[in-house]
Amino acid sequence: MKHKTYSFTFSLSFIFTALLTASFSIIILYNYYKTSADIYKLSDTVNREIRKSIIDKTVAKLDYIATNIKILSKINESDNILDKKDDALKIMWEQLFSDETIASIFIADEQSNFVQVRRHPLYSTRVVEKYGDTRMEVWENKSKDFTTEAIETYPSTYDPITRDWYKNANGKDEFYWSNPYIFSSTGKTGITISYPYINSYGTKIKVTAADITLDDLSKLLKNEAKLVNGDLIMIGENDDIIATSFYDEIKDQADGKILNLKDLPPKLYGGFKEMTSSNEIDKGEFVDKNGVEYIYAIEQFPNLFHKKWKLITFVKKDVLLENVRNTINKMLLISFLIMIFFLGLILYISKIISRPIVNLSKQIYQLKDMNLEIGISANSKINEIKTAQEAMISLKNGLKSFKKYMPSELVNILIKTNQVAKIGGGEKNLAIMFTDIENFTTISETMSPQDLMEHLSNYLSELVPIITEHQGTVDKYIGDAILAFWGAPLHIEEPCLYAVETAIDIQNKLKILNEQWVKDGKPAFKTRVGIHFGATLVGNIGSHDRLNYTIIGDSVNIASRIEGINKEYGTNILISQEVNEHIKERINTKYVDSVMLKGKTEEVKLYTIE
Amino acid sequence: MKTLLVFLFFFASLWSEDLQTLRIYNYNDYIDKNILINFAKENNLKIRYEYYENNDQLVQKIKSQKDGFDLACPSINYISKLQERGYLLDINSSKLKNFNNINKIFLKQNNNSITQSYLPYFWGTIGIVYDKTKVKPINSWNDLWREDLKDSLLFGSDYRDMFGVILKSLGYSANTQNQQEIEKGYLKLIQLIPNIKAIGSEDVSKYFLVDKFSVGIVFNGDAKIIHDAQKNFSYIYPKEGAIQWMDGFVILKNGANQDLAYKFLDYILEPKNGASIANEIGYATANQEAYKLLDKQIKNDAIYLYPSNEVINKSESLKSVGEMDKTYKKYWKLFLEEYKKVKGIK
């Protein structure tokens, strides 16, 4: 099965990139979740601090005002508050100015006398007392330094002792705290705190009180909302809304009434229905009608505080995570840039790493084509590659050696067609040549075996290249004889021509060689050549382990006989008529004789070369 | 419960809106509060009693036609301004059963044409107060120009009052409409500048009691306060004659409650009510019958409260000067500029 291959560089780069991406992704994801968790925690802590701070401020302020009215009640122990009323008024005036959220401070006694300092609609004092049998109102509009600017007086319809703040202040040393309500004179939200003065006989003498506007609380919450990154709501005991950070948005809906948590527009915060149903929960999450997720926390006012008020903070999850997301996005961008940079780096490095491998693979490729003259150097610093390089050198040398035993063409073909040599062959018309050295046996006796080997090898080294240059295949050496053929394994157009030219060249070469050898004191090797052309069986013959690429058949025998006949006629090249037919146009041949070869029924004409 | 509260509040305020409201514009500390309360109680109505700081402010407010007062109590010379401009309703004395409680001298003294435009309320004098221990005796307006009084004098801030003083020192009428006389007055006024230490504003007594001024032109009421605090201060009526001031109630044309206005005037004309007010505010009442009910000590106070008829006859009360008012104002402005220049004030 063929599968796709990828270059080393590409593979390396791909792997690196994949690894890097995986690493970054894991880091970023981990970061995201960890940071998100941290953000929630941090926000939780910060909000806790903010709530505490707000609650403390509120408690402190309200307690301060409560203390003030308690002190006020003890100033004049007479049961008629109109005694020393001017002194009391001076003090009340100071108390009023000590805190802008105090809308008014007032006292009433059991006789329905009433003394008040007010901020709204104008700074004024208000006294209700009996003149004769009619209770009269006397209002004095005051400037800030307590000088009167106008007086108003009229019969009164106001009876303080019928009011809640008076009626409900009964416990000794106990304050009465009203629920939040809307002040009729200003339309603002507020509460009233009142304190009874009860004498030693247990009789209620009078009640001092203060009206406190809570609108400033909303302002405070609005400011803190920025730090919380969300919103805050302060609620009273019945889930009445005392103050919120988003009062502006619900102002119109409130329309001069105290809103309850349940009244909050669903568009804004419809999730509250579920949220406050169980009082125990002090932290949680909810989803509003638009599918927006919130985290909320409810904090109770301290136990010592007079009322069970609560402060709620809630934050959109999105807002909390906004920064995290921004950071993550930046991280992604940076990671991406790093990755691009590293990709370049990796490409460069992998090119460097892969070079020896690439070279190696190129060299192997050369080897395959039997180009064994290439240089391979074992110069890599990487162990495995160096080993491969050394092996490649060995292989190349091995192949070089083996090549000498093999017909290289044959091997080339086998390599090209990616086949393993196997038994088999076919019949082909081949030109077959036998060469033989004259009187070799006699010569061999005159030399030492060593010298003989050497000399023979020299001889063969000269002859074989001539054969192969003419595209001949050397089949085998038979002692001093060479068997070669033309036309296999590769097809040749003119096998006879090449064979004859080879024979001519051999003889020419030998003339020169023999001269030299004789000069050197070596014996001359005269060579007889016989060439025939005919159908021959050619192929891999042998056992599976050891094959010979060789030729078999009649033509081979004939070629051999022809070579032997040179002796009789004193020629050194003899060719059969079949060969002659193919070359007579190009090369001058001379008819020698017709002979009857053993085992053949017809005569064979023989020719020699001129 | 809170809805009930709101409802009651609303109801109460509505009810008080339904009450008739009498609106009075007066100088501060110029009535007994109880008078107002009792009047409101007895007539089941609402009184709104506003204070003004000076006559100019009162005139401006009435001119602006805002706030619809029923009654106001300006000084006499300003009353004529208001009358000229038609803001006032004539007082029909026949509608006041207590009208005759008023000391005739105050009705006779003035031009018939303006008598009916106001009801005399309280009166007094403008004279000289000085520290006996520090200043040589003074008995004339001209003494104020003395060398030894350099940079010691508290001068007044009302142009008619002060011009009146200057003119009297020259022997002219305080209400002259003669151009040359006024001019001469201006020139003499300029000559006084070196002696002026300050031009007084509201709390006059403070200049003497705290800032240790030694001499000044003041109202008798202020002189009394100063003397009561420090006996070394003396109050004199210069021999040329003091300036007499008077405040009177006027009924305003655009008031909504004329009947109530008359009722109120009658109420304060009651002897005991008049006496109550006189006791409270410490000035001399124009109400003869009320005077009779006062403490002997007060009645006999000829220096500060109830000078002799001789003094009254010699003193001159300020009247309208018609068109010449502009001239007085012009010279007064020039004086102020000169004064600031000399004193190096911005």
Side-chain angles (χ1 to χ4, degrees):
Chain A
M1 183 169 66
K2 249 185 153 213
H3 32 242
K4 235 174 121 66
T5 57
Y6 304 92
S7 78
F8 185 68
T9 309
F10 176 80
S11 309
L12 210 58
S13 311
F14 181 77
I15 291 170
F16 263 115
T17 309
L19 284 173
L20 219 54
T21 309
S23 313
F24 279 171
S25 304
I26 291 171
I27 292 173
I28 290 175
L29 268 171
Y30 171 74
N31 233 299
Y32 178 76
Y33 283 110
K34 184 95 204 321
T35 312
S36 300
D38 286 345
I39 291 273
Y40 288 140
K41 229 195 213 159
L42 185 66
S43 157
D44 194 46
T45 309
V46 166
N47 287 1
R48 174 104 227 280
E49 288 307 311
I50 291 173
R51 281 197 303 274
K52 259 176 66 189
S53 147
I54 294 173
I55 289 175
D56 287 347
K57 273 192 203 156
T58 310
V59 167
K61 174 193 283 262
L62 294 173
D63 275 349
Y64 164 77
I65 297 171
T67 306
N68 261 316
I69 63 169
K70 184 170 171 179
I71 291 172
L72 184 64
S73 78
K74 313 231 177 203
I75 284 173
N76 175 11
E77 302 207 341
S78 138
D79 54 2
N80 183 347
I81 61 171
L82 300 172
D83 288 353
K84 304 211 179 109
K85 150 185 90 167
D86 291 330
D87 288 343
L89 278 171
K90 282 210 187 82
I91 293 170
M92 289 155 78
W93 201 241
E94 285 302 318
Q95 287 180 336
L96 183 77
F97 279 121
S98 71
D99 190 328
E100 275 199 355
T101 62
I102 303 177
S104 81
I105 299 183
F106 43 101
I107 321 176
D109 63 22
E110 287 290 300
Q111 286 84 39
S112 295
N113 292 318
F114 180 76
V115 174
Q116 181 184 42
V117 296
R118 312 170 56 108
R119 197 184 291 273
H120 309 290
L122 296 168
Y123 290 115
S124 49
T125 60
R126 175 185 177 199
V127 177
V128 177
E129 66 179 298
K130 259 201 170 148
Y131 282 79
D133 54 2
T134 315
R135 285 178 45 255
M136 295 292 291
E137 299 259 0
V138 180
W139 292 59
E140 288 187 45
N141 293 354
K142 298 280 192 183
S143 65
K144 269 208 168 168
D145 54 7
F146 213 53
T147 51
T148 306
E149 294 175 335
I151 299 176
E152 280 189 11
T153 174
Y154 55 88
S156 177
T157 52
Y158 177 72
D159 192 354
I161 64 175
T162 61
R163 299 293 159 122
D164 270 352
W165 60 267
Y166 191 90
K167 289 195 311 197
N168 295 336
N170 292 314
K172 192 156 174 58
D173 207 28
E174 261 178 50
F175 288 88
Y176 162 75
W177 289 63
S178 76
N179 287 327
Y181 65 98
I182 303 285
F183 288 162
S184 61
S185 56
T186 55
K188 295 188 185 202
T189 314
I191 57 163
T192 304
I193 311 177
S194 56
Y195 182 82
Y197 178 78
I198 295 172
N199 71 8
S200 41
Y201 300 111
T203 318
K204 181 155 113 178
I205 301 294
K206 60 183 165 176
V207 175
T208 48
D211 283 344
I212 304 162
T213 44
L214 297 174
D215 284 54
D216 275 4
L217 260 181
S218 284
K219 274 192 212 133
L220 173 65
L221 292 186
K222 191 170 178 181
N223 276 340
E224 298 292 324
K226 292 182 201 132
L227 291 172
V228 161
N229 260 321
D231 279 304
L232 298 111
I233 304 183
M234 195 183 285
I235 54 176
E237 293 191 342
N238 304 323
D239 287 354
D240 284 339
I241 295 179
I242 295 170
T244 75
S245 56
F246 52 92
Y247 185 71
D248 299 325
E249 292 167 44
I250 55 171
K251 216 167 25 180
D252 293 333
Q253 193 206 351
D255 192 30
K257 297 192 303 283
I258 296 287
L259 278 182
N260 191 285
L261 213 51
K262 300 187 198 63
D263 297 328
L264 283 179
K267 186 163 67 95
L268 268 183
Y269 303 100
F272 276 107
K273 291 206 178 88
E274 300 86 48
M275 189 175 116
T276 58
S277 58
S278 47
N279 293 331
E280 267 76 272
I281 296 179
D282 95 284
K283 275 185 218 166
E285 300 179 13
F286 71 91
V287 181
D288 78 3
K289 288 239 169 136
N290 299 333
V292 180
E293 289 180 41
Y294 293 84
I295 304 178
Y296 72 86
I298 308 179
E299 185 128 5
Q300 311 266 0
F301 270 60
N303 277 334
L304 287 177
F305 190 65
H306 310 268
K307 290 280 207 173
K308 291 196 185 3
W309 286 4
K310 302 195 190 87
L311 183 60
I312 308 172
T313 49
F314 50 99
V315 189
K316 285 191 189 147
K317 268 193 177 175
D318 259 355
V319 169
L320 271 185
L321 294 181
E322 204 185 303
N323 277 340
V324 178
R325 296 219 180 102
N326 281 343
T327 309
I328 294 294
N329 285 343
K330 284 202 186 85
M331 279 181 87
L332 281 171
L333 181 66
I334 292 171
S335 307
F336 183 69
L337 291 172
I338 291 177
M339 208 118 74
I340 302 278
F341 170 71
F342 265 104
L343 198 63
L345 203 61
I346 287 163
L347 278 168
Y348 175 68
I349 291 173
S350 54
K351 263 210 160 42
I352 293 179
I353 293 176
S354 67
R355 208 184 297 136
I357 297 177
V358 167
N359 282 347
L360 213 52
S361 89
K362 282 191 190 141
Q363 287 157 357
I364 292 173
Y365 194 78
Q366 295 290 325
L367 286 182
K368 174 193 80 145
D369 282 345
M370 288 304 231
N371 295 339
L372 301 175
E373 297 316 310
I374 52 169
I376 302 175
S377 35
N379 58 2
S380 171
K381 292 196 183 59
I382 299 173
N383 278 344
E384 291 78 357
I385 296 181
K386 183 150 188 241
T387 308
Q389 284 172 328
E390 285 165 355
M392 202 51 53
I393 293 171
S394 303
L395 182 62
K396 180 188 83 170
N397 291 339
L399 277 177
K400 259 188 161 171
S401 307
F402 280 120
K403 192 177 174 184
K404 293 186 183 171
Y405 288 94
M406 291 292 126
S408 54
E409 273 314 321
L410 173 65
V411 176
N412 280 355
I413 291 171
L414 288 175
I415 290 172
K416 278 208 177 82
T417 57
N418 206 17
Q419 287 175 22
V420 178
K422 53 185 193 291
I423 297 174
E427 201 177 68
K428 275 199 173 138
N429 287 335
L430 306 176
I432 303 164
M433 175 195 284
F434 268 96
T435 67
D436 189 45
I437 300 177
E438 237 179 55
N439 296 328
F440 181 72
T441 325
T442 318
I443 297 171
S444 65
E445 284 168 4
T446 63
M447 287 179 88
S448 67
Q450 212 79 344
D451 295 337
L452 184 67
M453 278 266 285
E454 210 187 296
H455 193 41
L456 185 59
S457 293
N458 284 341
Y459 164 80
L460 291 172
S461 302
E462 296 295 336
L463 258 58
V464 165
I466 300 171
I467 296 171
T468 54
E469 273 157 26
H470 285 79
Q471 296 188 39
T473 307
V474 175
D475 184 333
K476 53 168 88 63
Y477 305 117
I478 310 164
D480 58 308
I482 305 173
L483 170 58
F485 54 88
W486 280 255
L490 285 178
H491 177 74
I492 299 177
E493 281 302 314
E494 313 238 28
C496 298
L497 182 63
Y498 287 14
V500 170
E501 281 174 352
T502 306
I504 296 171
D505 286 350
I506 284 175
Q507 295 301 358
N508 289 340
K509 189 83 195 262
L510 277 172
K511 220 194 240 162
I512 302 166
L513 283 171
N514 282 331
E515 265 184 45
Q516 186 58 44
W517 283 336
V518 165
K519 266 208 194 122
D520 295 340
K522 295 195 182 110
F525 282 152
K526 280 184 159 168
T527 306
R528 299 183 293 241
V529 180
I531 307 175
H532 181 58
F533 179 75
T536 321
L537 192 63
V538 60
N540 288 325
I541 296 162
S543 69
H544 290 287
D545 294 330
R546 195 156 193 308
L547 294 173
N548 269 341
Y549 190 76
T550 188
I551 47 180
I552 297 177
D554 226 21
S555 308
V556 182
N557 296 335
I558 295 172
S560 174
R561 300 270 169 76
I562 294 174
E563 183 273 314
I565 292 174
N566 273 307
K567 211 180 347 195
E568 287 173 35
Y569 294 89
T571 51
N572 53 14
I573 301 178
L574 271 179
I575 62 178
S576 66
Q577 71 204 47
E578 285 82 355
V579 178
N580 190 52
E581 284 305 305
H582 285 98
I583 63 150
K584 65 183 182 192
E585 308 294 318
R586 257 84 54 91
I587 300 178
N588 290 339
T589 58
K590 192 172 92 170
Y591 173 74
V592 173
D593 201 359
S594 301
V595 297
M596 185 71 91
L597 293 175
K598 221 197 287 187
K600 294 236 70 117
T601 49
E602 285 179 15
E603 282 189 334
V604 180
K605 289 203 177 91
L606 298 172
Y607 300 77
T608 187
I609 313 298
E610 294 248 280
Chain B
M1 193 56 221
K2 42 185 188 246
T3 45
L4 183 60
L5 265 170
V6 172
F7 179 63
L8 278 174
F9 238 126
F10 185 59
F11 188 63
S13 62
L14 257 189
W15 196 354
S16 75
E17 292 302 301
D18 273 350
L19 290 174
Q20 250 185 319
T21 305
L22 181 65
R23 305 199 53 171
I24 306 172
Y25 199 30
N26 201 349
Y27 201 63
N28 77 51
D29 276 345
Y30 223 29
I31 200 142
D32 182 358
K33 212 162 62 179
N34 289 314
I35 300 292
L36 298 174
I37 297 170
N38 282 316
F39 186 75
K41 173 184 138 206
E42 284 170 22
N43 294 281
N44 197 35
L45 49 78
K46 176 171 171 184
I47 295 183
R48 181 169 168 79
Y49 187 90
E50 268 182 65
Y51 295 172
Y52 70 83
E53 284 178 17
N54 57 55
N55 280 295
D56 279 316
Q57 187 192 21
L58 175 144
V59 169
Q60 291 310 314
K61 206 147 190 191
I62 290 175
K63 264 206 225 175
S64 73
Q65 303 277 39
K66 282 192 200 166
D67 297 337
F69 291 105
D70 301 301
L71 287 165
C73 186
S75 302
I76 260 196
N77 45 329
Y78 287 87
I79 291 174
S80 40
K81 278 193 197 170
L82 293 170
Q83 200 205 17
E84 281 157 24
R85 286 167 205 181
Y87 293 119
L88 308 181
L89 225 52
D90 279 353
I91 296 182
N92 186 345
S93 53
S94 59
K95 282 194 176 175
L96 294 167
K97 69 179 197 308
N98 295 321
F99 184 74
N100 292 318
N101 291 354
I102 298 285
N103 189 338
K104 301 278 183 290
I105 207 173
F106 300 115
L107 298 173
K108 271 204 239 150
Q109 269 189 346
N110 301 292
N111 202 327
N112 268 345
S113 68
I114 64 169
T115 308
Q116 257 49 37
S117 67
Y118 72 96
L119 188 78
Y121 185 52
F122 278 83
W123 63 279
T125 51
I126 296 174
I128 302 174
V129 72
Y130 67 96
D131 187 342
K132 274 193 298 201
T133 59
K134 296 208 182 112
V135 176
K136 287 205 270 257
I138 294 177
N139 55 21
S140 159
W141 287 120
N142 287 301
D143 284 336
L144 294 174
W145 276 257
R146 282 197 330 225
E147 281 282 315
D148 63 307
L149 294 180
K150 221 186 199 78
D151 199 34
S152 351
L153 178 68
L154 181 72
F155 202 58
S157 58
D158 186 288
Y159 72 107
R160 285 297 311 280
D161 292 343
M162 293 303 107
F163 250 102
V165 162
I166 308 296
L167 289 166
K168 286 205 90 62
S169 75
L170 288 167
Y172 302 141
S173 160
N175 298 307
T176 183
Q177 298 191 29
N178 185 313
Q179 171 73 30
Q180 280 112 320
E181 287 175 1
I182 299 170
E183 203 173 318
K184 282 208 189 114
Y186 164 71
L187 291 170
K188 187 150 187 206
L189 180 50
I190 297 294
Q191 286 172 352
L192 189 58
I193 289 178
N195 283 9
I196 299 175
K197 186 162 174 173
I199 296 178
S201 57
E202 276 180 55
D203 190 359
V204 166
S205 54
K206 182 169 152 296
Y207 289 97
F208 297 91
L209 300 175
V210 177
D211 298 334
K212 307 274 186 252
F213 276 54
S214 54
V215 58
I217 306 172
V218 298
F219 288 86
N220 58 319
D222 290 326
K224 184 165 197 324
I225 293 169
I226 296 165
H227 173 80
D228 283 348
Q230 287 178 24
K231 301 280 184 255
N232 45 312
F233 279 96
S234 217
Y235 183 63
I236 61 110
Y237 299 107
K239 62 181 190 211
E240 297 87 357
I243 303 290
Q244 186 188 312
W245 59 267
M246 164 151 298
D247 296 323
F249 269 99
V250 294
I251 303 182
L252 292 160
K253 232 183 222 170
N254 68 344
N257 305 292
Q258 285 175 27
D259 289 338
L260 272 180
Y262 275 107
K263 207 164 184 188
F264 183 76
L265 292 178
D266 242 341
Y267 189 73
I268 59 173
L269 282 173
E270 302 260 341
K272 68 169 176 14
N273 290 336
S276 212
I277 299 173
N279 281 327
E280 177 69 23
I281 71 176
Y283 278 102
T285 175
N287 185 334
Q288 188 66 17
E289 298 304 311
Y291 171 76
K292 288 182 185 159
L293 297 177
L294 294 175
D295 279 350
K296 250 208 185 112
Q297 218 178 359
I298 297 175
K299 278 205 287 207
N300 293 337
D301 185 347
I303 301 176
Y304 295 100
L305 288 177
Y306 297 97
S308 62
N309 280 351
E310 187 199 330
V311 172
I312 296 177
N313 285 332
K314 251 212 287 192
S315 64
E316 201 177 347
S317 99
L318 294 174
K319 290 185 249 191
S320 166
V321 286
E323 287 296 308
M324 296 314 283
D325 192 65
K326 292 200 201 77
T327 313
Y328 277 94
K329 271 205 172 135
K330 179 184 88 188
Y331 281 119
W332 181 252
K333 200 160 151 227
L334 285 173
F335 155 70
L336 282 175
E337 279 165 15
E338 185 64 29
Y339 171 78
K340 283 181 193 157
K341 209 165 54 176
V342 170
K343 296 292 178 185
I345 306 166
K346 293 231 181 350

